[in-house]
Amino acid sequence: MPTLKDFLEECHTLGLVRLIVTSDAGVLEARVNIEKLFYAELPKGKYANMHSEHIEFHLNMDKITDVRFETAEAKRGNFTTYAIRFLDADDKPQMSAFLQWGKPGEYAKGQVEAWSLLKDKYGETWKPEPVESV
């Protein structure tokens, strides 16, 4: 059975995404390609990590219990958005990855298809197997 680590490794097929992390005090958004991941096991949990020139990314994979694929109408503009939500045990998004468009609604060639292939493989809502070791 696939783990969250396996899933994250496949996310490079999505191309440019907007990662969004929301807390009670703020929202952080970053445009990145999910690639060149590396992993670390710390006392707090097993982490997926990514470093680039503009962002450092650390996701505690032990805290993610569900992955949900969602489409919605854009808040500004008349087009569909494609998101992957990484949810905790309380069904609260801990991180979201949205396909990033160039002009509103204009996704790069193959992006929507890659998102759809992942959704078809994992299902609309998926419970990853625990990551045993990194």
Side-chain angles (χ1 to χ4, degrees):
M1 295 293 287
T3 65
L4 187 58
K5 181 180 174 184
D6 300 323
F7 178 79
L8 290 169
E9 291 290 334
E10 292 184 69
C11 284
H12 73 91
T13 62
L14 299 170
L16 188 62
V17 298
R18 181 177 295 264
L19 290 182
I20 302 172
V21 176
T22 303
S23 76
D24 292 335
V27 176
L28 177 64
E29 299 186 17
R31 294 167 33 128
V32 299
N33 291 303
I34 299 174
E35 58 189 10
K36 299 179 184 172
L37 295 168
F38 61 98
Y39 303 90
E41 192 163 341
L42 303 172
K44 291 182 181 180
K46 296 171 197 78
Y47 283 81
N49 305 281
M50 182 176 67
H51 293 177
S52 72
E53 182 180 349
H54 301 289
I55 185 172
E56 288 191 23
F57 160 87
H58 310 282
L59 178 66
N60 186 338
M61 295 182 291
D62 292 341
K63 300 287 185 182
I64 305 303
T65 61
D66 293 274
V67 175
R68 183 181 311 140
F69 290 81
E70 297 177 358
T71 58
E73 192 69 22
K75 292 179 182 175
R76 284 183 240 137
N78 186 22
F79 63 94
T80 303
T81 61
Y82 300 86
I84 300 171
R85 308 276 188 192
F86 297 83
L87 308 167
D88 66 13
D90 296 323
D91 205 38
K92 180 179 177 188
Q94 294 302 303
M95 182 177 76
S96 299
F98 280 79
L99 294 186
Q100 182 61 56
W101 54 85
K103 293 181 181 178
E106 293 182 10
Y107 295 100
K109 184 178 180 179
Q111 266 190 307
V112 173
E113 293 81 2
W115 183 92
S116 296
L117 285 171
L118 287 174
K119 181 183 176 196
D120 290 346
K121 179 176 180 177
Y122 290 95
E124 189 170 326
T125 300
W126 169 64
K127 290 190 175 297
E129 289 293 315
V131 175
E132 295 299 325
S133 66
V134 294

